Amino acid sequence: MSCQEIFVSSMTPTGITCYIVKASYFSSNHTPLTGEKRKTAEASKQKAMEILRDALKKKDRVLLEEPQDLVFGDSRHPKFWMERHAILTEELVRGLISELEVVKFMEDRTNEKWVAYVYPMTGDKTVYLCKPFWELSTDLRENSQPGTLIHEASHFLGTHDITYSKESIYVACRGKLVKSKSDPSAPDLKPLAKAVLNANNIKYEFEITLNHKGRYENGRYSCCGEKAENSVCESAVPEEFLACNFRDSSLGKTINEVVQSLLRARDRLQKHFHELRETADAIDTVHKRATIANVAGGAVGIAGGITTIAGVCLAPFTFGASLSLSLVGLAASTAGGLTSAVATTTDMVASKAKKETVEKLLQECQAELGNIKKDTEIICEHIQCLESYGNSDFMFPFAQIGAGAGRAALNIPKMVKAGQLLANAGKVARFAGAATRILTAVTLGLDVFFVAKDSAELHNGAKTELAANIREAVNEMEQVIGEVNEMCTALTASTQK
């Protein structure tokens, strides 16, 4: 004898109650099914698997995707929100089929209150059927044999018996959105937990939500025209529930995930600012020195030229002795020209090297600005999709944003109104777009910023146009960072004013 944890379905006057008990395991209580009972159990198992397989065939209509966002608020279009009992995903349905395929049956003839039970912790895929089980409907309906077997099989996938009440949730956009029926300022997430973890919720999803409401007559259901008797009803899902564009758009991530992605792009972008400013300063320094060299070289060249001319003019009177003066002048003039040429070449080579560095940095900055703009546009699309269903007062819960690194702190989420988030995100997107245009202009114009040509630039501080444009681009990107930070501040602050 050993103590076991048993997941029990028990019949009560109000329906089937589910709970967990600690009980002694007596092998003598369990006997193999025989005769009609064995046929009945196997037939109910077959019906349950046919219903599950039919749900897979109709997955695009009747199954849900993993919840991506929790949304709090109502819509003036009631069908936008569909009442469901469980988050019924393709993965879950496939798991139920796999478990039922290997399920074995035993009978417990001594227990007259329990309907069925399993020992999920032992790895034994046996469903123990008690006397009340045989009194349930063999067709799918509330408190049926196929529904009970689906319930018991779900325990092998990790569900629990949290409650036997018919608690439901409201979902939208093929399950992408889940909302609470409670006060948005104090949301109750317990119904969602039960929709995911409670075995009876899965049972009710098939027995109530997706079950046919019409009669099966003349080889088809009157509600939807389905010919397969053991099936789910496509017409149970309203068209409005399927019309939302979340599935086929870029809205595969939650708004919280998009915000975190945006913050990571912000941090990567910000890391480039110091290097860009250093590059601009280096360009100014090299250009300034080259300008000084150009001026000095030009002065020497002029003096050498005058000396050369004087030597040539005096040659007839000095019997050629003045030609030595001309040679000295020529050398001086040549040296001055070389000084100027070397300075110009140094400026050009240095500017080209910096140009390549700047181009690389600007490309990385443009990529991060593109990420920021894309993320904020996704946020806007999320909210605009909701607003198209008649309410601008939807609210989203946001985990408080960790300082500096763009990570979410583990604490109570703040409720943020969709309208405020939309305004913040739209502003970020506009600033990111403007900064991107400036960066593009800088990149296209790099070739004209190569060489300093005269002493006028030295007089003006030798500020190259390239360096000035780089600094302007950094300033614009800092404004984008500021807008992102302002949005994050709004997300972490309470909006219930």
Side-chain angles (χ1 to χ4, degrees), residues 298-312 325-326 328-334 336:
V300 172
I302 293 171
I306 293 173
T307 304
T308 301
I309 294 170
V312 172
L325 180 62
S326 297
V328 172
L330 179 61
S333 178
T334 302

Side-chain angles (χ1 to χ4, degrees), residues 235-247:
S235 65
V237 181
E239 293 295 333
E240 290 84 352
F241 181 77
L242 305 171
C244 186
N245 62 359
F246 274 39
R247 181 187 179 95

Side-chain angles (χ1 to χ4, degrees), residues 163-182:
T163 179
Y164 57 89
S165 64
K166 297 183 181 67
E167 285 198 58
S168 60
I169 57 172
Y170 284 88
V171 293
C173 299
R174 301 177 185 267
K176 285 290 187 182
L177 304 179
V178 179
K179 76 162 182 160
S180 170
K181 293 181 289 185
S182 60

Side-chain angles (χ1 to χ4, degrees), residues 271-289:
K271 288 179 181 178
H272 294 316
F273 293 173
H274 179 69
E275 187 174 358
L276 282 171
R277 285 198 170 101
E278 283 190 336
T279 299
D281 292 342
I283 290 174
D284 279 343
T285 300
V286 171
H287 201 173
K288 185 174 182 178
R289 289 173 179 171

Side-chain angles (χ1 to χ4, degrees), residues 217-263:
E217 298 174 331
N218 301 319
R220 66 178 65 234
Y221 281 100
S222 60
C223 52
C224 61
E226 172 62 58
K227 295 180 180 180
E229 190 169 3
N230 299 314
S231 58
V232 294
C233 182
E234 287 184 297
S235 65
V237 181
E239 293 295 333
E240 290 84 352
F241 181 77
L242 305 171
C244 186
N245 62 359
F246 274 39
R247 181 187 179 95
D248 300 320
S249 71
S250 56
L251 307 180
K253 297 189 292 185
T254 71
I255 291 187
N256 269 292
E257 288 174 336
V258 175
V259 169
Q260 294 304 314
S261 173
L262 186 152
L263 293 177

